[in-house]
Amino acid sequence: MSYRTIGTNVPRIDAPGKVTGKTLYPGDIVYPNMLHMATLFAGRPHARIRALDTSAAAAAPGVVAVFTAADVPVNEYGLQLKDQPVLCGPGSNKPGADVVRFVGDQVALVVAETEAQARAACKLIRIEWEDLPVLTDPELAAPSLAGGLDGADPARPVPFQLHPHSADNICYGYRIRKGDIAAGFRAADVIVEGVYQTPVQEHAYLQPEAGVAYVDEAGRVTVEVAGQWAHEDQKQIAHALGLPLEQVRVIYPAIGGAFGGREDMSVQITLALAAWRLIQRGIRRPVKTIWTREESIIGHGKRHAMKIWARWGARRDGTLTAAQVKVIADAGAYMYTSNKVLGNTTLTCTGPYEIPHVAVDTHAVYTNNVPGAAFRGFGGPQGNFAAECQMNKLAEALGMDPVELRLKNVLTDEKLLSTGTPIPGGVGLTQTIIAAARAAGWTQDEAGHWHKPLADSRSPIPNPQPPIRKGIGFACGFKNVGFSFGYQENSYARIELRGDADIREAVVYFAGADCGQGNHTVVVQMAAEALGIPLERVKLIASDTALMGSAGSASASRLTYMAGNALRAAAEKALAAWRNEDRPAVGEHVYLAPKTTPLDPETGYGKPNFAYGYVAQAAFVAVDTETGQVRVERFVSADDVGKAINPQQVIGQIEGGVVQALGYAVLENWQAKDGYVLTDRLSTYLIPTVLDVPDRLDALIVEVPDPNGPFGARGMAEMPYLPVAAAVAAAVYDATGVRFDEFPLTPERVWRGLRGRQKTPGTA
Amino acid sequence: MWQSYFAPGTVAEALELLARYGDTCRLIAGGTDLILEIERGIRAPQTLIDISRIPGLDEIGRLGIGDSFTLGANVTHNQVVASADLVAHAFPLARACWLVGAPQIRNRGTVAGNCVTASPANDTITPLWAMDATFTLASRERGERTLTCAEFFRGVRQTALRPEEMLVRINVPALKPTERGTFLKLGLRQAQAISVVNVAVILESRDWGSGNSPIPNPQSPASNPQFPIISHARIALGSVAPTIVRAAEAEAYLAGKELTDEVIAHAAELAAAAARPISDVRGSAEYRRDMVRVLTARALRQLRAGTERADWPARPVLLWGKANPRIGKSAHAALSVPNPQAPISLLLNGKPTTLPTARGKTLLRALREDAGLTGTKEGCAEGECGACTVWLDGVAVMSCLVPAEQAEGCEVITVEGLADLAPRPASHLTPQPPSLPGKGEPTSPPPILGEGPGVGASPLLAGEGPGERSPAGEGPEERLHPIQRAFIEAGAVQCGYCTPGLLMSAAKLLEEIPQPTADQVKQALTGNLCRCTGYYKILEAVERTVVR
């Protein structure tokens, strides 16, 4: 198939505005007569607010209004479960809303003439606190789950309940029983075990949360904000304000990064609440807020920390026979998307392999930590780390090359997932493994066996001097495109064609969020292709709930896939109308992705997803064995993207995803103690600088078409993230002979590991 | 924030103000520490006394060969890095300055300020302590006094400085020809990292400096020394005690010893024993103590081999372009009389501009809130992310750490002014000096791109259709700086929030070093965090603009 714009490196349509400083992000928007809002955060991990006195704040200079829990019409919200108060405190209509459950719970809003006045007045709010005991360890919060693979005991009592609705502090769980796990282990010649611990990660998008709210000329409470799903924001706001959906409008200006961290509400509801309550008091003025970096870091959810117990078996020839896995995820104070995150962990924790006998139990547990939330990969990286470390241990135990072991067991078309149903077709995993292995220097002999390159043959310094040791590691992975697990994925697109004989202009209405990943550019590309017109004639109107239907979330590597299918159908309809001489010719379509099912609660049987993406990677590291510093010198990532709509942007996603995951693997060291966050700044929570990235990153695009994807494309933005930590851990093992089942591989952790020591005293 | 702001023209005036305002005021030079302390409520001075406009305080003096250097109170980290004299004869200090923060921070932060803040993790104090530097303080009533390191530094963030006193200069004895020294630092990442541990080591050997340094030969008999004999050693340790400490036992042990592997190992153990570290978010006490051993041994080995300068860049990236590095030089006059109502006047993107209500806030907020230039972003408000990078008198700085008053009478260029620096077709062979942009040229309003409602648009009246995105975003009239064009073409822009700061750093590098090496490009961007791209396409964009 030859295309006109698909597959070409069209420059991003948003780049000119961004390089000249003209593009407006939420914090850049200024309206005349605007007020400013500051938020009072709890700052305590678990406490009851006995009383709250706002009189001094209300009387402070410049203050226009102070809002508390009593001002919230329906004081609850949450994407998957409405278990979080908008504002915590007494006088609320929501039971239990007088309790703060993590440091980032919000207590009050102060609206003033200036930001400085609003912030100063916040400090004048008097609160009578009753501190409550704090639970930060999921195994202590839900003792029935403790005890590893075989040790759970439902009889163990819960210390205390964190939510009225949850008696056992367990917020979600999945269970898979495929085949006969005992028989699977009996059939194994080799069994390996591991207990893996994956850390919290902060999104650290460069733009802190911000927005502006006002009531528009149609009487709609309007919020201009950076989010990931405008129509879901609209729904959450409408629910909390007790308003009909059509009386709420959400608009996304430019979004300064998201990575999942903007999926849950931050300033959306509070801004809307302020604008709405002000109007009721006769004050018709826009309200703006900007969170500081510290507020951003405590105020939005994080990647879930997980503890994963794994026991896998294989025959001597490398055939996997059994995998038994248990996962406990720290959900933190509220549900957020823990159920969805855990679903992906449930699938990825047994790897992209066909295994006849599988037993998986996964649990998400409430604690008083900052909530676990969506973050690139959505639970996939955690499960992947355990699975791929298990595979590398098996390869060693079997004396088999890790690439060869993977190729032997890997999922291919029609093979069965752990959920008992075939994987959707077009599986490109084998191709990505071969591409990554070859690029990294693996060779295959005449008998078909694979051989790892020497650790130092591809490194800049061929013979490292002590104390430097070098190593190579390999890992691969898969992840679903879209949320699914029975959820009907959908996306709206509308195309209006204008002109006379020829199409002069095509106006595309599409609500998807461009968080920086380049969605709007590929939407224009795909629309131009579907319409058969030059790119320059396509105009995109995006991300305004008043003008278009829902595109669904900019999440789960789903947006290109969903948008493309919606646009293709809308284009077909618009072109039919065009041929019918309609002017403008309008085509509107809601694309529904192929049907999926939830997993059976007892066996996990089901068809959870309609498409997957695939990736394989190799890491080259140099370890300073005296300081423990790990330097990733080179990295190879091969990604099956189905069809690269815009190869330059695809490579940008691979590079960005790999570096973000390298931060997760070796650098980013989230620290909290007793529910308090110790790393709430960019000077204490360190993310990679330009000097911290590998000298060389080979981003390889593999294109095995997805049968249902637009132009063959499948989702791809999360997949390059997935196997990075496991590949790096394998490389560090190759270099040092020490296994690390826990990361980040900070200098001190590696230093301890090399000395056979374990825990870091004095830090959480 | 602060209520009043003075910018005296002489040290005497500064001392007069200090005497008058005492502990309700605070001196400010680079501001990289003080603005943070104010933002975090650690200090709340009512009055700031800006000494950055005092002539002479930014000078590096040399009293004579073999004698001391003097560093005026306004000497920045980058001035030290750029001083061939200091690199030659005070290498430990130069290397410490190079490893501080990022170029934008090194352009503002002063060595004196680093000392006055007196955190045990502050990198410049360790080499100063090893080099036996002294500190000259002055006050109106008592004149000058000069203190040793041990007298000046009193504890964590505590010095002997009295409220009415000012640190006027640091006296740094030069290394002798028979001495070698270096500074090593362990941070948690490769740039912009606070020291977990740092060490400064200075060794003296009569084998050095006379051109007859023996070549190490491990095969030779031990009776005939193959390694240098150390006559004197000075070792200072940072971030392992309430102040920097000297490893006295290690120093004494090394005196008179041949620097064998065994001697190095034992000296390193003795240095580790001198550390009294604590555990914090950056590392445990146990790890810190062992890292003192590792770094001390490495420093000793490097000095023995004479390789301590092996990674010193031939041309360090400074990001001051072709500008005079002395910030504030373009100010027309000292600002002795504070008028809280007086507007701040500056040359902003080539246009004379007055900002009536910008006092008492940072330059970043003044640009965004008062000048309406929102292209400059806030990402951290603590000098970590670089999204707020602008040029102040031709020097790249992080505007979140600059008091707006320091821009009075100065020239400021933001991302909105970058395109005006693009070589015009007629003059592309002789580019304009970027620090003198567009003066006298007619200014026309830039074309507006369809990206959301503009400043001043009323939401209450605005029609529908806020978010039109068109592939023809860059109109034919749009003039772009080559680096802006390269960012578009290379796909270096994703979310774009870091982009303005990166552009300002990259453009400044290209002005300073038109054909930078790959390493120089990376060094220029160490102060700018990007979370989307992994930096590769940004590096590619800079590379595209370089004419090889």
Side-chain angles (χ1 to χ4, degrees), chain A residues 11-25 27-28 30-32 115 201-208 214-217 220 224 249 251-257 259 284 286 293-294 375 467 515-517 520 524 535-536 538-542 544 546-547 624 626-629 631 648-649 651-653 655-656 659-660 667-669 671 678-679 681-697 747-748 751-752 755 757 760-761 763, chain B residues 40 186-194 279-287 290-291 293-295 298 301 365 368-369 374-382 384-385 387 415-416 418-419 446-449 451-474 478-480 484-485 487-491 493-500 503 519 521-523 525-526 528-537 539-540 544:
Chain A
R12 288 177 64 123
I13 62 171
D14 54 348
K18 287 176 174 176
V19 300
T20 49
K22 287 169 193 154
T23 297
L24 296 181
Y25 297 80
D28 301 333
V30 174
Y31 290 124
E115 184 187 342
Q201 188 183 20
E202 153 63 25
H203 304 79
Y205 29 72
L206 265 285
Q207 180 230 317
Y214 49 87
V215 177
D216 76 0
E217 78 283 0
R220 290 173 293 214
E224 297 186 39
R249 179 181 182 184
I251 300 169
Y252 288 167
I255 300 165
F259 315 116
R284 193 178 180 86
R293 176 59 61 182
E294 290 87 337
F375 194 151
C515 315
Q517 83 279 35
H520 291 172
V524 168
L535 199 76
E536 295 70 33
V538 180
K539 190 168 89 174
L540 173 64
I541 297 182
D544 183 341
L547 302 179
D624 184 327
E626 286 183 340
T627 63
Q629 286 167 306
R631 168 116 191 108
Q648 185 185 57
Q649 294 303 315
I651 288 172
Q653 287 300 303
E655 291 169 346
V659 168
Q660 202 171 50
L667 175 63
E668 298 176 31
N669 192 15
Q671 296 179 60
L678 304 178
T679 48
R681 293 180 179 139
L682 293 184
S683 57
T684 46
Y685 186 83
L686 304 183
I687 63 171
T689 71
V690 69
L691 292 185
D692 294 287
V693 308
D695 294 329
R696 178 175 163 191
L697 196 164
E748 182 162 351
W751 174 83
R752 278 180 197 285
R755 277 152 193 78
R757 295 176 224 191
T760 307
T763 53
Chain B
R40 291 173 187 173
L186 182 86
L188 293 175
R189 67 180 169 194
Q190 298 301 311
Q192 287 258 61
I194 294 169
S279 296
D280 65 13
V281 288
R282 293 188 184 89
S284 70
E286 192 187 4
Y287 180 65
D290 194 46
M291 289 309 101
R293 182 185 64 79
V294 170
L295 293 195
R298 286 184 182 184
R301 282 198 296 269
R365 283 181 174 261
R368 291 177 55 82
E369 296 168 5
T374 55
T376 306
K377 306 299 184 196
E378 177 177 311
C380 68
E382 57 168 345
E384 282 287 323
C385 77
V415 69
E416 289 92 344
L418 197 56
I448 303 295
L449 297 179
E451 281 285 337
V455 172
S458 167
L460 309 180
L461 304 171
E464 310 230 314
E468 289 186 9
R469 278 86 166 171
S470 153
E474 190 193 337
E478 185 90 20
R479 192 150 60 94
L480 294 174
Q484 291 172 313
R485 201 171 294 284
F487 264 57
I488 296 172
E489 289 168 0
V493 178
Q494 286 193 24
C495 93
Y497 200 79
C498 69
T499 303
L503 289 167
D519 188 57
V521 175
K522 285 187 181 176
Q523 286 293 344
L525 306 181
T526 52
N528 295 86
L529 295 176
C530 170
R531 191 57 156 169
C532 296
T533 64
Y535 301 101
Y536 293 99
K537 301 221 175 295
L539 295 171
E540 183 191 329
R544 276 176 185 236

Side-chain angles (χ1 to χ4, degrees), chain B residues 129-483:
Chain B
W129 204 304
M131 296 173 81
D132 295 311
T134 59
F135 298 80
T136 300
L137 320 180
S139 65
R140 188 188 66 181
E141 299 303 325
R142 302 177 337 161
E144 289 193 353
R145 60 177 180 142
T146 296
L147 304 182
T148 64
C149 287
E151 291 164 341
F152 181 73
F153 297 103
R154 293 287 178 80
V156 177
R157 294 177 179 268
Q158 287 174 349
T159 69
L161 203 62
R162 300 192 183 99
E164 74 282 6
E165 261 181 333
M166 168 179 170
L167 170 57
V168 287
R169 69 182 164 275
I170 303 170
N171 315 289
V172 186
L175 294 191
K176 293 182 248 173
T178 49
E179 283 182 321
R180 290 177 183 175
T182 192
F183 169 87
L184 296 184
K185 161 176 175 172
L186 182 86
L188 293 175
R189 67 180 169 194
Q190 298 301 311
Q192 287 258 61
I194 294 169
S195 285
V196 176
V197 167
N198 63 48
V199 303
V201 179
I202 297 161
L203 299 178
E204 181 173 24
S205 170
R206 276 177 277 281
D207 300 327
W208 293 335
S210 50
N212 60 353
S213 161
I215 292 157
N217 181 0
Q219 312 303 322
S220 302
S223 58
N224 187 13
Q226 297 308 310
F227 296 109
I229 308 285
I230 300 307
S231 54
H232 187 57
R234 293 182 282 172
I235 300 175
L237 314 175
S239 210
V240 292
T243 66
I244 305 316
V245 291
R246 288 280 284 264
E249 284 189 38
E251 293 177 354
Y253 167 76
L254 282 167
K257 296 280 191 316
E258 181 187 356
L259 204 54
T260 63
D261 286 350
E262 294 71 29
V263 166
I264 287 175
H266 189 62
E269 296 281 357
L270 290 174
R276 295 283 177 274
I278 57 162
S279 296
D280 65 13
V281 288
R282 293 188 184 89
S284 70
E286 192 187 4
Y287 180 65
R288 283 197 159 100
R289 191 174 293 112
D290 194 46
M291 289 309 101
V292 170
R293 182 185 64 79
V294 170
L295 293 195
T296 304
R298 286 184 182 184
L300 290 170
R301 282 198 296 269
Q302 286 179 15
L303 296 177
R304 181 177 72 180
T307 56
E308 72 274 16
R309 292 163 194 259
D311 68 350
W312 184 256
R315 180 162 181 198
V317 171
L318 303 164
L319 293 194
W320 64 36
K322 295 169 181 161
N324 188 322
R326 298 171 184 184
I327 291 174
K329 272 285 179 187
S330 74
H332 301 301
L335 314 167
S336 305
V337 183
N339 176 358
Q341 266 70 52
I344 293 175
S345 301
L346 68 162
L347 191 62
L348 181 53
N349 292 330
K351 286 175 224 157
T353 304
T354 55
L355 305 176
T357 57
R359 286 181 181 270
K361 55 172 79 170
T362 63
L363 178 58
L364 171 61
R365 283 181 174 261
L367 290 170
R368 291 177 55 82
E369 296 168 5
D370 296 76
L373 296 178
T374 55
T376 306
K377 306 299 184 196
E378 177 177 311
C380 68
E382 57 168 345
E384 282 287 323
C385 77
C388 67
T389 301
V390 302
W391 300 348
L392 176 60
D393 273 355
V395 174
V397 304
M398 296 202 194
S399 61
C400 73
L401 298 180
V402 177
E405 290 92 337
Q406 282 193 329
E408 168 79 50
C410 298
E411 181 186 55
V412 173
I413 306 279
T414 70
V415 69
E416 289 92 344
L418 197 56
D420 289 335
L421 309 183
R424 289 173 179 280
S427 63
H428 73 280
L429 293 176
T430 52
Q432 268 185 292
S435 58
L436 298 169
K439 276 178 187 164
E441 291 168 9
T443 53
S444 57
I448 303 295
L449 297 179
E451 281 285 337
V455 172
S458 167
L460 309 180
L461 304 171
E464 310 230 314
E468 289 186 9
R469 278 86 166 171
S470 153
E474 190 193 337
E477 304 303 314
E478 185 90 20
R479 192 150 60 94
L480 294 174
H481 189 283
I483 191 68

Side-chain angles (χ1 to χ4, degrees), chain B residues 490-514:
Chain B
V493 178
Q494 286 193 24
C495 93
Y497 200 79
C498 69
T499 303
L502 275 155
L503 289 167
M504 298 311 287
S505 294
K508 186 49 69 176
L509 169 75
L510 294 170
E511 175 197 323
E512 182 170 306
I513 308 174

Side-chain angles (χ1 to χ4, degrees), chain B residues 1-6 17 21-22 24-28 34 44-50 338:
Chain B
M1 302 296 258
W2 54 94
Q3 270 84 55
S4 56
Y5 194 99
F6 295 86
L17 289 163
Y21 292 100
T24 66
C25 76
R26 194 78 186 161
L27 291 186
I28 184 164
L34 183 61
Q46 289 160 24
T47 300
L48 292 188
I49 301 170
D50 176 4

